[in-house]
Amino acid sequence: MGYTPELKELIKRVEATRPKRLEMARKGENFPALTLEERAVVLEKFHPDYQKEGRRPVKTGPDKGLVLPEEVAMLLESRSMLRPEHVKLDKVDFDTDVLVIGAGGAGNSAALLAADAGCKVIMVTKLRHGDANTMMAEGGIQAAVHECDSPFYHYMDTIGGGHFTNQPDLVATLSHDAPLSINWLEGLGMMFNKHPDGRLVSRHFGGSSRKRMNSAGDMTGAEIMRVLRDEARSRSDQISTIEFTPAVELLIDEEGKCGGAILYNMETREFFICRAKATIIATGGNGRLHIKGFACTNHYGATMDGVVLCYRAGVGTTCMWSTQYHPTGVSYPEQNVGLLITEKVRGLGAHVLNVEGEQFCFPLEPRDVESAEIIKEALEVGKAVLTPTGRYGVWLDSPMIDMLHGEGTVRRELPAKFIQFERHGIDISKEPMLVYPTLHYQNGGIAIDGDCRTVIPGLYSAGECTGGVHGENRLMGNSLQDVITFGRRAGIVAAQYVNSGVEVKKLTMDHVVKYEKELAEAGVENPVVAPILLPDYSTDEVASRRLLQVQGMLEAE
Amino acid sequence: MSQSESTPKKTQIATGDRAILPKGAKTIPIFIMGKQYEVPETLTIMKAMEFAGFQFLRGAGCRGGICGACPTVYRMPNDYKIHFGLACQTVVEADMYLAQIPFYPANRAVYKLEDIEARPDMINALYPELFRCVACNNCTKACPMNVDVLGYISALKQGDIARAAEISFDCIQCGMCASRCMGEIPQYHIAQLARRMYGKYIMPKAEHLQKRVDEINAGKYDGLLEKLQKMSHEELEKLYKEREREPDLAPNGTWVPQDAQYL
Amino acid sequence: MKVTYYPGCTLKTKARNLEDSAVASMKALGVEMEELTRWNCCGAVHSLADDDLIHQVAPVRDLIRAMEQGSDAVVTLCSMCYNSLARANLIMKNDEVKRKTINDFMDEEKDYHGELEVLHFLNFIRDHVGWDKVREQVKVPLNDMKVAMYYGCTLVRPGNVSIEPIGDTKVMGEFLEALGATPVDFPMATTCCGSYQILGNPEAALDVSAAILESALARGAEAVILSCPLCEYNLAKTQGQLTEKQKLSKEVPVYYFTQLLALALGLDSEACRFDLNDHNCLNFLKSKSLVA
Ligand SMILES: Cc1cc2nc3c(=O)[nH]c(=O)nc-3n(C[C@H](O)[C@H](O)[C@H](O)COP(=O)(O)OP(=O)(O)OC[C@H]3O[C@@H](n4cnc5c(N)ncnc54)[C@H](O)[C@@H]3O)c2cc1C
Ligand code: SF4
Ligand code: SF4
Ligand code: FES
């Protein structure tokens, strides 16, 4: 285990250039940063968000004409798993007040608050209860809780970080509700990091004016998820959670209100009609679309289902063109691929190097610029390392850290990363790491207002599947806050709507029929079937031997 | 099949999470539930299984070692030991015999946190099986997160909720401990209850947070936020640039900014 | 010789008065007592089935933990813990076959061969502190107090782990004399208190308990000391029922031996923890002007 002999050979080149680079670093000299003009060029040419290649206008639906990544556009131009004419909508299998789709942080918060307001809730989820991006968040959750901070500064930091592209009412809601969310989680028994007197331990983060990052160890998201899941389980009298049963189509009643969804039991391959007075979409992100082939940090079910369902029903998106890439995701060893290497590593002085062991960029450019430069080194210059598992990587020279700051710094400052690599036989205080940009967060998504309403009555949405809260750039710690704040809001507002006396009329799938007609008219041939639910990672070789493929070829002949 | 031969100059690049077998890489045999498959070395069990053609429905969640969906048991030739690992974190080895255990039933008591107190006897009443522990330590040996499971079970028998909460903090609720328990104890459910009791009733409350919540509920910031939403880009940008930054070394709750009008 | 202290689960929950008074007393006597940092339940009841080795695993694991902590001996307060640890220790010391099986089963731990000594607190005070030292430090002599010495069974049975030869037990007497009290021996001093029968067959257990207390009263005892939380439960916590149903002639104050030690050493209520005993315990001491 550890690095292969071939990689060890390459590491020698890194070691050969290191003394000189260390000398530079000690003198405070750095590889020159790009000018604003140069930045624009490299972004334009290599940042996946800026590249023309791989993006195109979407041909149908509410955002027709909007330029989006191919993978996203293709899913928006998709057809349903179901043939509407064969679906019997008068036979209702589940009837409920509120249907929550997705059981991550946003879904559970919504379910709990709707239950608090007396509603009967069904929460369906694609994998197990809690298999979600929420579980994976390590860093923390923002909220202006200390005296020197206020919702005003939370608002300012968030909208500035998002280059002022955020939707103002959403930012206002976020910063207003954030302390309420933390208070709620504390009351549910979440183990926040606290000082001995009970004061929350809060830290700075990229783009903060105040220390606002609250956490629970280095598994804040997991702690939130565990607590919410346990609470939802404790309330099984009001909340029924159905696992491995994604929603695959929305149902709209003849008055145009959302009236529930069609559910699909992935294990038995049965479909069910779920009628609900209000429906909340909380299906999370889209990392598993692997836009442009990038690895990702997301969980297995992050396939943008909610956006697809809503889009087909006529709900547009906000900021959908924007995706967050993290410049340094692990590219070797294979078992860590896509995992984040925090910015702190570069902050502590580690250089980013090509296969020759040479520097090719300033290591602390903004995230998007840094990502673009690494991609350029791989694709254009052709000087990336090719890993034994066939991935691009550039060296992140972590051993410099101990050499610059003294023995033991790596272990002390980066304990989790140290262990993660040590497990696979790599001592990152002595050997450099291989990294490459990785897909991290779906910045845009379903268009909502400050109360999580979509344009369809009875249809609400919250969490990573929505857009606008973060604009084109999300600050660390704001998405966990997003899912709690808007999840809770969605639950409250949906319950108010239900309690005001809603009657679901005859259910229809007319929107699907209409949308598929639009696809045909727009000349979209062989649209993909979506939501795709899960990515398929079988090799081409295996896929080509699968019966359906073989059959397809025979039929074609 | 001969794609790489026909386009020899183009190197095959792995995209997304799909594993490939790059030129020159070795394959090794592994036995998935007893059946042999050849997979590239250095892959995780999860990716090796996908390489072999499995598509997970159960048994994969976060793919990052934190959700507990993919616990796997395996044995190596000539070794009586059962090994445990997360499929997404454990690298395949030649001749390993493996099976995933994506779900293991475990008794979860019914309770409402707000109706109970943080008292050891409350835990004992909800989970009397706690006292069936014989300290065999099978649970600790099975834990893929290296949690001292016997340690937190013992702490609970000793009535030390705080200690149990701290020891069990890294638990990802994969259920391996419960699958191996001689006392049929659902360790991770009990630990969850202990942690929530600790978080809600034993840890000191954040008083400053309660104060902030009261201010917000009293509408203190409503006007300010209203104004911000209507502000022009230029005004916002100006205010953004003027923000004072809390000093890095100021302990929480001590720093007083010069400009207090927006607090 | 390094001695590590093994508390046991009940002392951390229901019998804090036993532990707190002991720990405070040792501090007052200047004896350092290091608690085991990692430990599990002792197994509580020694398993009698010859082939039921799994129940030896818990106590053996505790002994291994103590060994890891570099100790030569483990000292316990609770008689039950003493009994399970001492008997498991004997197996590991003397029974080659069982030792191998248990060590093989616990292959994640260091092998253990009975290297440690298991001590009960009474013997520990006698041998490692000494009655003279105790006597010197007594600030509030318990003069004029007649105290029955209740050993129960687990301190003295079976013979190979008995803290003293059965029939010739002296240590509690010496202990009480050092505190200035008058020890009272009585016929049922080593009769079982009914133990876990209190759960399955409460009437039988209560009958025995009443008989034991009556037997002590008959010898003129005013109070009883013991060292086991289960005995304490049967003899003390049930006294309401004993006087009513079992016709026990009068209530008898029951103390953990360490509480009287703390009292005699002049320690405060936080150390003595009479608040966790029955109300008659405090009243009795008040009547003797030993507490305010
Ligand atoms: C590795 C990593 C680290 C992160 N670190 C941080 C951090 O430090 N701070 C921070 O604030 N944010 C962080 N984030 C981002 C944050 O965790 C997520 O954005 C947020 O948790 C999303 O929550 P959610 O409830 O919207 O979606 P999720 O938590 O992803 O939940 C969505 C749920 O919906 C289910 N689902 C999907 N489709 C369907 C369907 N069709 N039908 C039914 N159910 C469906 C999914 O299976 C899932 O259970 C991180 C993210 C990752 C991946
Ligand atoms: S304690 Fe149990 S459930 Fe938790 S991670 Fe370890 S084995 Fe899994
Ligand atoms: S597996 Fe069960 S019986 Fe064995 S030590 Fe763990 S909790 Fe106790
Ligand atoms: S898939 Fe979540 S722990 Fe492995």
Side-chain angles (χ1 to χ4, degrees):
Chain A
M1 281 227 308
Y3 286 119
T4 58
E6 293 78 17
L7 288 173
K8 285 206 166 131
E9 219 28 63
L10 290 177
I11 291 177
K12 287 191 183 145
R13 300 191 199 166
V14 173
E15 287 164 350
T17 61
R18 195 180 286 147
K20 222 170 171 175
R21 289 185 286 109
L22 275 171
E23 204 180 303
M24 263 178 65
R26 290 206 177 96
K27 280 191 269 177
E29 288 169 16
N30 246 316
F31 193 90
L34 298 185
T35 63
L36 286 178
E37 292 72 33
E38 287 168 334
R39 275 187 187 178
V41 173
V42 69
L43 280 176
E44 190 66 34
K45 235 173 132 190
F46 294 101
H47 191 280
D49 267 7
Y50 291 74
Q51 271 176 283
K52 304 254 160 16
E53 190 202 324
R55 304 191 148 235
R56 63 172 175 83
V58 60
K59 298 190 194 101
T60 48
D63 294 338
K64 187 169 162 179
L66 187 70
V67 176
L68 295 173
E70 171 63 38
E71 292 81 356
V72 173
M74 190 176 73
L75 284 192
L76 295 185
E77 295 163 0
S78 60
R79 70 183 181 90
S80 176
M81 278 174 92
L82 295 148
R83 292 301 90 225
E85 62 273 22
H86 297 315
V87 183
K88 290 199 186 63
L89 292 172
D90 45 354
K91 204 193 132 284
V92 171
D93 302 290
F94 298 99
D95 216 341
T96 187
D97 293 334
V98 177
L99 169 66
V100 177
I101 302 177
N108 278 278
S109 303
L112 288 169
L113 270 286
D116 279 350
C119 288
K120 213 174 115 229
V121 179
I122 291 181
M123 177 161 60
V124 296
T125 194
K126 186 153 59 181
L127 299 164
R128 298 178 316 160
H129 189 180
D131 288 347
N133 279 358
T134 303
M135 193 62 113
M136 307 187 73
E138 299 172 1
I141 175 163
Q142 284 198 48
V145 293
H146 296 288
E147 291 82 350
C148 65
D149 198 2
S150 81
F152 174 88
Y153 290 100
H154 191 176
Y155 187 102
M156 277 322 256
D157 289 353
T158 301
I159 203 152
H163 312 311
F164 305 97
T165 55
N166 320 44
Q167 188 175 316
D169 58 335
L170 299 185
V171 185
T173 304
L174 181 81
S175 40
H176 176 271
D177 281 13
L180 313 183
S181 306
I182 303 290
N183 191 43
W184 183 63
L185 290 169
E186 186 191 40
L188 289 174
M190 175 164 164
M191 282 169 62
F192 279 106
N193 287 4
K194 287 182 176 176
H195 295 283
D197 65 349
R199 183 175 284 275
L200 287 155
V201 174
S202 314
R203 286 173 289 121
H204 265 309
F205 53 93
S208 58
S209 62
R210 305 291 146 95
K211 294 184 186 170
R212 196 183 300 125
M213 185 68 64
N214 308 292
S215 54
D218 65 353
M219 43 195 283
T220 311
E223 172 64 355
I224 290 179
M225 197 65 249
R226 289 188 303 208
V227 166
L228 293 181
R229 177 169 62 190
D230 197 64
E231 182 62 12
R233 284 176 176 162
S234 299
R235 309 264 287 266
S236 53
D237 47 342
Q238 273 181 292
I239 303 173
S240 355
T241 306
I242 311 178
E243 299 182 322
F244 295 96
T245 302
V248 294
E249 211 60 75
L250 290 175
L251 293 169
I252 308 290
D253 78 359
E254 54 190 4
E255 289 177 343
K257 308 195 297 294
C258 184
I262 299 183
L263 313 178
Y264 174 55
N265 180 336
M266 293 201 291
E267 296 186 303
T268 60
R269 299 196 302 281
E270 287 169 279
F271 293 91
F272 297 98
I273 309 294
C274 177
R275 179 166 61 196
K277 293 177 184 153
T279 302
I280 300 172
I281 309 259
T283 51
N286 69 1
R288 292 281 155 194
L289 300 186
H290 295 295
I291 293 176
K292 305 204 101 199
F294 280 88
C296 79
T297 60
N298 287 193
H299 83 118
Y300 188 40
T303 53
M304 209 179 78
D305 301 357
V307 181
V308 171
L309 300 188
C310 286
Y311 194 77
R312 211 174 263 166
V315 182
T317 63
T318 310
C319 288
M320 199 63 216
W321 55 86
S322 163
T323 312
Q324 187 163 68
Y325 292 80
H326 197 288
T328 55
V330 178
S331 75
Y332 185 88
E334 187 69 17
Q335 49 274 22
N336 286 353
V337 164
L339 292 189
L340 283 197
I341 300 293
T342 149
E343 229 166 77
K344 202 167 161 189
V345 177
R346 283 170 286 140
L348 286 165
H351 285 162
V352 178
L353 309 170
N354 64 19
V355 68
E356 305 294 347
E358 301 158 345
Q359 276 194 284
F360 59 88
C361 62
F362 174 57
L364 281 169
E365 298 278 10
R367 280 189 184 180
D368 44 0
V369 177
E370 188 84 14
S371 299
E373 290 197 272
I374 294 173
I375 295 169
K376 175 179 168 194
E377 195 68 10
L379 298 186
E380 192 183 67
V381 185
K383 281 194 179 173
V385 176
L386 194 64
T387 72
T389 47
R391 294 178 187 280
Y392 285 129
V394 293
W395 296 111
L396 186 56
D397 199 9
S398 48
M400 290 178 70
I401 297 173
D402 274 12
M403 295 174 186
L404 289 172
H405 304 279
E407 192 91 10
T409 312
V410 169
R411 250 170 200 275
R412 195 176 58 248
E413 295 291 325
L414 306 160
K417 289 298 154 222
F418 184 84
I419 294 168
Q420 239 162 17
F421 278 82
E422 195 193 30
R423 226 189 240 164
H424 307 301
I426 295 171
D427 177 349
I428 59 169
S429 67
K430 304 220 158 52
E431 293 168 308
M433 302 181 239
L434 278 171
V435 298
Y436 201 69
T438 180
L439 273 174
H440 190 42
Y441 186 78
Q442 174 187 317
N443 282 336
I446 300 165
I448 55 165
D449 68 11
D451 279 333
C452 303
R453 282 185 282 253
T454 66
V455 291
I456 298 179
L459 182 62
Y460 304 83
S461 185
E464 190 171 342
C465 58
T466 67
V469 184
H470 314 287
E472 288 176 1
N473 184 42
R474 174 187 68 104
L475 293 186
M476 175 182 177
N478 255 352
S479 43
L480 281 179
Q481 187 51 260
D482 168 359
V483 309
I484 305 300
T485 284
F486 290 96
R488 278 162 43 92
R489 283 256 172 156
I492 294 169
V493 177
Q496 276 167 2
Y497 171 76
V498 169
N499 292 337
S500 71
V502 184
E503 201 192 325
V504 178
K505 296 283 161 58
K506 189 167 170 290
L507 296 173
T508 81
M509 285 179 74
D510 293 352
H511 63 288
V512 177
V513 177
K514 191 171 146 234
Y515 191 68
E516 291 187 355
K517 209 168 130 222
E518 192 186 336
L519 287 174
E521 282 163 9
V524 178
E525 275 175 44
N526 292 324
V528 291
V529 175
I532 59 171
L533 303 180
L534 292 175
D536 183 358
Y537 292 130
S538 42
T539 60
D540 294 344
E541 208 183 335
V542 168
S544 69
R545 276 198 284 263
R546 287 212 171 115
L547 186 61
L548 279 177
Q549 293 265 341
V550 175
Q551 236 171 17
M553 281 179 333
L554 289 179
E555 274 164 25
E557 269 170 18
Chain B
M1 212 174 104
S2 58
Q3 193 195 14
S4 58
E5 284 155 36
S6 59
T7 52
K9 269 194 216 123
K10 203 168 158 214
T11 337
Q12 195 185 1
I13 291 298
T15 58
D17 261 10
R18 181 169 297 125
I20 58 165
L21 183 62
K23 259 207 161 76
K26 269 209 309 243
T27 63
I28 51 171
I30 62 168
F31 295 82
I32 301 171
M33 290 174 278
K35 187 158 180 265
Q36 182 171 345
Y37 290 90
E38 290 287 326
V39 299
E41 57 180 4
T42 78
L43 292 186
T44 55
I45 292 174
M46 180 169 286
K47 287 183 183 170
M49 286 179 74
E50 285 173 337
F51 181 90
F54 288 77
Q55 191 186 8
F56 291 107
L57 179 50
R58 288 190 180 261
C62 65
R63 303 173 73 98
I66 189 75
C67 78
C70 66
T72 304
V73 292
Y74 60 96
R75 280 195 147 97
M76 301 302 296
N78 307 318
D79 177 6
Y80 67 84
K81 285 248 148 239
I82 308 186
H83 300 271
F84 300 84
L86 296 171
C88 66
Q89 297 292 299
T90 311
V91 181
V92 287
E93 289 171 66
D95 298 321
M96 79 195 317
Y97 276 74
L98 63 91
Q100 277 199 313
I101 306 187
F103 179 81
Y104 198 89
N107 170 44
R108 181 185 174 279
V110 179
Y111 54 83
K112 292 228 157 86
L113 195 67
E114 66 268 25
D115 298 340
I116 56 183
E117 290 167 48
R119 289 207 321 259
D121 56 326
M122 288 266 175
I123 298 185
N124 304 349
L126 287 166
Y127 290 106
E129 62 268 42
L130 183 59
F131 289 89
R132 288 167 49 83
C133 172
V134 292
C136 69
N137 208 32
N138 278 348
C139 47
T140 311
K141 288 198 273 188
C143 180
M145 295 300 284
N146 296 329
V147 173
D148 179 6
V149 191
L150 170 56
Y152 73 67
I153 290 295
S154 295
L156 287 173
K157 286 175 81 174
Q158 295 153 19
D160 196 339
I161 297 176
R163 193 169 141 81
E166 299 288 353
I167 298 180
S168 71
F169 190 76
D170 290 346
C171 168
I172 58 173
Q173 314 195 328
C174 69
M176 281 302 90
C177 48
S179 80
R180 296 286 295 155
C181 181
M182 308 190 66
E184 293 149 301
I185 300 167
Q187 295 93 332
Y188 63 97
H189 283 318
I190 311 183
Q192 177 68 74
L193 172 59
R195 283 195 304 275
R196 290 190 65 194
M197 279 183 168
Y198 180 59
K200 185 173 174 71
Y201 296 113
I202 301 178
M203 286 179 96
K205 287 255 137 4
E207 307 284 351
H208 61 109
L209 172 61
Q210 189 56 53
K211 227 180 101 214
R212 176 56 44 86
V213 167
D214 295 342
E215 289 169 349
I216 289 176
N217 286 336
K220 178 172 172 188
Y221 298 100
D222 293 355
L224 206 50
L225 289 171
E226 198 66 38
K227 231 166 72 195
L228 276 171
Q229 289 180 63
K230 298 204 184 94
M231 220 173 254
S232 72
H233 189 142
E234 290 69 37
E235 268 178 290
L236 276 174
E237 219 175 295
K238 182 166 167 291
L239 280 173
Y240 183 72
K241 285 188 186 139
E242 284 169 5
R243 293 168 310 157
E244 286 169 80
R245 187 168 187 276
E246 183 176 358
D248 284 315
L249 296 178
N252 289 144
T254 58
W255 179 65
V256 183
Q258 288 193 338
D259 185 355
Q261 57 175 318
Y262 303 119
L263 293 181
Chain C
M1 176 161 124
K2 182 170 165 185
V3 179
T4 318
Y5 159 60
Y6 173 86
C9 308
T10 318
L11 271 66
K12 294 287 182 193
T13 49
K14 296 201 179 73
R16 288 231 68 114
N17 38 356
L18 176 49
E19 163 156 63
D20 291 354
S21 53
V23 171
S25 300
M26 285 306 109
K27 210 165 151 206
L29 287 168
V31 179
E32 208 176 300
M33 232 179 35
E34 191 181 324
E35 185 176 321
L36 254 183
T37 40
R38 281 176 73 199
W39 53 275
N40 48 258
C41 172
C42 67
V45 185
H46 178 82
S47 174
L48 289 175
D50 198 44
D51 53 359
D52 178 20
L53 291 183
I54 194 63
H55 286 101
Q56 306 306 337
V57 164
V60 171
R61 201 180 296 284
D62 287 320
L63 296 170
I64 295 175
R65 294 275 174 272
M67 184 169 75
E68 283 171 351
Q69 214 162 310
S71 15
D72 307 292
V74 179
V75 55
T76 81
L77 279 161
C78 163
S79 320
M80 282 266 218
C81 297
Y82 168 73
N83 196 269
S84 344
L85 292 179
R87 291 167 88 172
N89 201 34
L90 276 188
I91 294 177
M92 295 308 277
K93 208 181 219 152
N94 302 328
D95 190 325
E96 212 174 302
V97 177
K98 287 184 183 165
R99 170 171 67 222
K100 180 165 180 348
T101 311
I102 292 172
N103 275 332
D104 280 354
F105 179 77
M106 298 206 280
D107 58 0
E108 77 276 20
E109 309 280 6
K110 288 203 185 90
D111 276 4
Y112 183 69
H113 313 84
E115 284 90 340
L116 266 67
E117 204 182 332
V118 177
L119 292 173
H120 186 263
F121 211 73
L122 282 163
N123 286 7
F124 173 72
I125 303 177
R126 183 191 63 201
D127 302 338
H128 297 274
V129 183
W131 303 131
D132 288 342
K133 177 149 186 200
V134 174
R135 213 169 284 127
E136 265 167 38
Q137 301 278 331
V138 166
K139 307 242 158 49
V140 187
L142 309 183
N143 296 335
D144 186 29
M145 187 167 158
K146 298 197 198 70
V147 184
M149 309 174 282
Y150 180 65
Y151 286 89
C153 29
T154 42
L155 284 184
V156 292
R157 270 186 291 263
N160 56 3
V161 297
S162 181
I163 60 170
E164 283 181 308
I166 306 190
D168 193 18
T169 41
K170 298 198 192 83
V171 66
M172 272 198 187
E174 291 163 2
F175 171 77
L176 285 167
E177 273 166 3
L179 303 186
T182 311
V184 175
D185 203 355
F186 65 109
M188 294 182 81
T190 60
T191 303
C192 174
C193 67
S195 186
Y196 284 112
Q197 291 294 329
I198 192 70
L199 300 174
N201 189 359
E203 281 308 304
L206 293 172
D207 285 347
V208 188
S209 298
I212 291 170
L213 292 173
E214 210 65 77
S215 150
L217 287 173
R219 288 295 174 101
E222 300 167 297
V224 174
I225 55 163
L226 39 68
S227 81
C228 169
L230 186 55
C231 300
E232 202 264 349
Y233 184 85
N234 285 348
L235 296 190
K237 295 274 181 312
T238 58
Q239 278 197 17
Q241 284 186 62
L242 294 183
T243 44
E244 202 171 299
K245 283 208 200 130
Q246 266 70 20
K247 307 285 179 244
L248 176 63
S249 51
K250 66 181 224 201
E251 287 191 345
V252 192
V254 175
Y255 305 95
Y256 288 117
F257 70 101
T258 50
Q259 291 183 285
L260 293 193
L261 173 61
L263 179 69
L265 292 174
L267 302 182
D268 59 10
S269 60
E270 223 165 276
C272 299
R273 296 304 302 264
F274 294 117
D275 56 315
L276 297 177
N277 296 55
D278 270 7
H279 60 94
N280 62 354
C281 290
L282 207 55
N283 291 344
F284 171 69
L285 297 175
K286 280 183 188 155
S287 75
K288 295 275 175 190
S289 309
L290 288 166
V291 295

